[in-house]
Amino acid sequence: HMDGTDGATSFPDSSWTGAPRHTITAVNDVTNTRAVRKIGDSSIAFDTGADDYLSIPASSDWAFGTDPLTIELWFYLDDTGRQYFFGPGTDTSTHYYGIGLDYNSVGTNKLGLWVSSDGSSWDVIDADSGGNGIGSTTVTQDAWHHVAVVRDGDDWDLYLDGTADITTVTDTASVATGAATIFNIGRSGYTGGAFYNSGYM
């Protein structure tokens, strides 16, 4: 959750600890807007360019390991092109692999989940054609949707609007550590990578 103000370029997160843990920086034209919202009084707006995202500094909080986890968000798409929700990485030609979520990566208009244990390949879950990380539901445009990525023990699931969309991928591996890199909202981490280029979160 982010407590930004309209037009802010950086702002603190709203940590459950009661004190901000991370500073979130808005890059290029991404803005906090009150015009379209689902939870609270604002949302994050990503325009139709291919360079808007939020950046959060490196932290041991991104070292998920084998811990149980839930990553959830509301999103609103208004374009059927590929959209990248979140993932780790720095602005280099080398892609960092950890955990990521996108939409329409293989032309299916469905969600895609990506998880790596080795930091150099999507060896746990991948959403490439024929992979085990492709959702089963065609996502509608111009509507709010809720997505939750859940790891419980060795089992991974992805829920779309409260219904299992990727059902139980079982793997004992630890998620590749993201402590040495930034975490992106609205882009993958490598130069020229995918962005969330038209919609709201």
Side-chain angles (χ1 to χ4, degrees), residues 5 15 25-26 35 39 43 56 82 90 95 98 131 148 153 163 170 173:
T5 58
S15 174
T25 299
I39 300 295
S43 69
I56 310 173
R82 186 180 188 193
T90 54
H95 190 108
T163 300
T170 300

Side-chain angles (χ1 to χ4, degrees), residues 69-73 75 85-86 99-103 110-115 125 127 132-137 139 146-152 155-169:
L69 64 83
T70 298
I71 302 173
E72 60 181 323
L73 57 95
F75 68 93
F85 295 93
F86 62 79
I99 182 170
L101 179 70
D102 69 359
Y103 160 79
K110 297 173 182 175
L111 298 179
L113 179 61
W114 309 83
V115 180
I125 301 175
N132 61 350
I134 302 172
S136 57
T137 305
V139 179
H146 181 265
V147 61
V149 176
V150 179
R151 182 177 190 173
D152 183 13
D155 294 335
W156 291 86
D157 296 276
L158 184 144
Y159 296 90
L160 177 62
D161 297 328
T163 300
D165 191 51
I166 297 173
T167 55
T168 310
V169 176

